[in-house]
Amino acid sequence: MKMIKFFTTTLFLLVISAALALGNEEFFGDWTGELATPQGNLPLIVTIMEDETGALSAVLESPAQAPGQKIPITSISIEENTLSFSIQAIGASYVGTWDAAEKHWVGTFKQGIEFPLILKRGVPEPNPIIEGMDGVWEGSVSRNNVELRLVLRVETTDQGTNPTFDAPDFGAFGLPVSNFSKDGEKVQFSVPAATGQFDGTLTDENTLFGTWAVAGQDDAEITFARTKMTTERQEPDRPQTPKEPFGYTVEEVSFENKTAEGVKLAGTLTLPEGEGPFPAAILISGSGPQDRDESIMGHKPFLVLSDYLTKNGIAVLRYDDRGFGGSTGDFTAATSEDFASDANAAVTYLMTRPEINNNAIGLVGHSEGGLIAPISAVNNKDIGYIVLLAGPGTNLDHLILSQRRLMGASQGVSKEDLDRTEPVFVKILSAVKTSTSKDEAIAQVTRLLTPKALEALGVPENQKDQVVKSFTSPWYRYFMKHKPVAYLSQVKVPVLAINGSLDQQVPAVENLAAIRAALANNTDATVLELEGLNHLFQTAETGAIGEYFDIPETFAPSALELVANWINARF
């Protein structure tokens, strides 16, 4: 239930393989392409190098998001006029074919979804240098009595002046800005991801006043105030993030999913002090490619949870999703059922560890992880319990519509606009849910995304293909067809299901009611709504996504204690 992250700053060791099929002059050096993403057009620079032994290496740069930051490419090969590389740190990969006539690579970049990408020799032209605008500019607009924060970040480097845009209350950071200009005191820019346009004037050197226009909404006046002269981000306060010494054993581990080709999962096993054998918890993350800590908005919920459980006598295994971080495999082709097989592989691995009580291995799944855990539990007799942290209980099309209404209201969308656009979503979700093949789903969604429907959804026409791909990916099609109750009703092991009362992504009342009904015949099922907690189990005020980053707390102590006590009471 999380937004796709296009790039992260985590760096991993370089693994190199190459079989050269082209002359050196053809592929060494810089290659540039542009992704047409829902967030806007993103230029990428791939730099391919060769060391003295003839081994290839490469780095990736996203100059619009992080100018100057070079992300190591994990593996790269050129074989039979095909360029392939993967970047496990961000869960991305590319396969392209050499076009001899045009002398460029034509291929597909994958990161959660697929994007066509042509890589041409050279680097992008530097942006124009715009004097006097560097720094952080903060403002807000009011929509239906909701104040929505907007942040413009401007940085000038040797690649010119590079602006990016944050909309914290939408959970959006580092959005590309286009058409940024300054003529005297007049300043203009647009944010394609938000279909937003700013037109204003510098009233003094630190104040920018003007109009913020978004497609389908009334224009709003906004004042941006420059709060900092640099764009350097300050580390957020996260007091619960554990620091060494931990007081328990921390071991880096890896294990194969032998039911899936090329999937080797990398993770961290933490073992309590003492001899054991210990009960164990395997943590399963929510949707989108996630690292082992389930990192989000400066928080590391799984790191905090594993620290607490381990200090309370429970061993914990957490791992990077397939194709992400240190794990191999293709995330883009995987469904929730595939992720359930990864969880089962984690169970199999723990069964080999003498420190673990084989009768007390359980799964703790957050959000989509709470959908995955019951799939695993139904098919794996070695699972001793499951904990569902904001796990879905209703059918997924219903969940998405409920989520959309709650989140939309907290982001200033009027009830009238939600009512007006909901029929478009209903038709698309129904088409995906009832389709019998990928081709049928693509045809149906393409037909439904008329110019009028795209306008209602606030999607530019040039992003239609990406929207179709998102709705018809293997993961989304499985997600729409999945019925959580069908699996929950078959789970016979102990179950703890908890939801925050302020959860806007998996609404507590309706989902817990469905889970409670599905577990009616389970002799050890605990289903609880936790007052005042959001989707991340933080103590919150409204539950809106915009609060996630602002709240210093990562995981409410009361929820941590509840999970640990529940497990220990049974094992």
Side-chain angles (χ1 to χ4, degrees), residues 496-519:
L496 171 64
I498 59 177
N499 239 139
S501 66
L502 298 179
D503 192 333
Q504 293 189 1
Q505 293 182 251
V506 181
V509 173
E510 59 195 52
N511 280 280
L512 289 181
I515 291 171
R516 192 175 287 112
L519 296 174

Side-chain angles (χ1 to χ4, degrees), residues 233-451:
R233 293 180 185 267
Q234 196 170 15
E235 284 296 316
D237 180 25
R238 301 292 183 250
Q240 287 179 295
T241 300
K243 297 176 177 61
E244 296 187 68
F246 299 119
Y248 49 80
T249 300
V250 179
E251 184 180 340
E252 298 302 298
V253 301
S254 63
F255 52 94
E256 290 187 33
N257 180 346
K258 295 182 179 179
T259 67
E261 184 178 355
V263 176
K264 188 173 185 179
L265 301 156
T268 301
L269 175 64
T270 52
L271 297 166
E273 290 184 324
E275 295 183 6
F278 306 105
I282 296 166
L283 307 188
I284 310 173
S285 67
S287 59
Q290 300 288 315
D291 66 19
R292 66 194 69 184
D293 296 328
E294 205 188 33
S295 300
I296 178 173
M297 297 193 190
H299 291 282
K300 297 180 181 293
F302 276 9
L303 176 59
V304 172
L305 177 58
S306 67
D307 177 74
Y308 188 89
L309 294 180
T310 308
K311 286 177 177 175
N312 283 272
I314 302 163
V316 178
L317 175 59
R318 62 191 199 278
Y319 55 90
D320 301 326
D321 287 347
R322 63 165 70 186
F324 193 79
S327 296
T328 62
D330 185 354
F331 184 90
T332 61
T335 68
S336 301
E337 190 170 40
D338 296 317
F339 299 135
S341 75
D342 292 343
N344 284 332
V347 174
T348 300
Y349 169 73
L350 286 186
M351 296 281 289
T352 69
R353 298 289 303 233
E355 308 96 330
I356 304 301
N357 178 353
N358 286 356
N359 295 315
I361 299 173
L363 306 178
V364 180
H366 177 232
S367 197
E368 186 196 352
L371 176 152
I372 292 166
I375 300 174
S376 297
V378 166
N379 298 311
N380 190 340
K381 61 181 178 57
D382 294 321
I383 293 172
Y385 67 90
I386 60 174
V387 176
L388 313 181
L389 304 174
T394 62
N395 285 347
L396 282 307
D397 53 347
H398 177 81
L399 171 65
I400 287 173
L401 294 174
S402 297
Q403 180 187 98
R404 178 177 174 272
R405 284 196 163 269
L406 283 171
M407 292 173 62
S410 73
Q411 294 167 348
V413 182
S414 69
K415 182 180 182 301
E416 291 74 22
D417 282 341
L418 289 168
D419 289 342
R420 177 176 56 84
T421 57
E422 185 163 292
V424 179
F425 277 97
V426 170
K427 289 177 182 177
I428 291 173
L429 297 181
S430 177
V432 175
K433 186 175 182 178
T434 58
S435 64
T436 57
S437 68
K438 181 178 181 178
D439 288 344
E440 182 186 347
I442 290 173
Q444 291 290 340
V445 174
T446 301
R447 179 181 61 81
L448 290 168
L449 285 175
T450 62

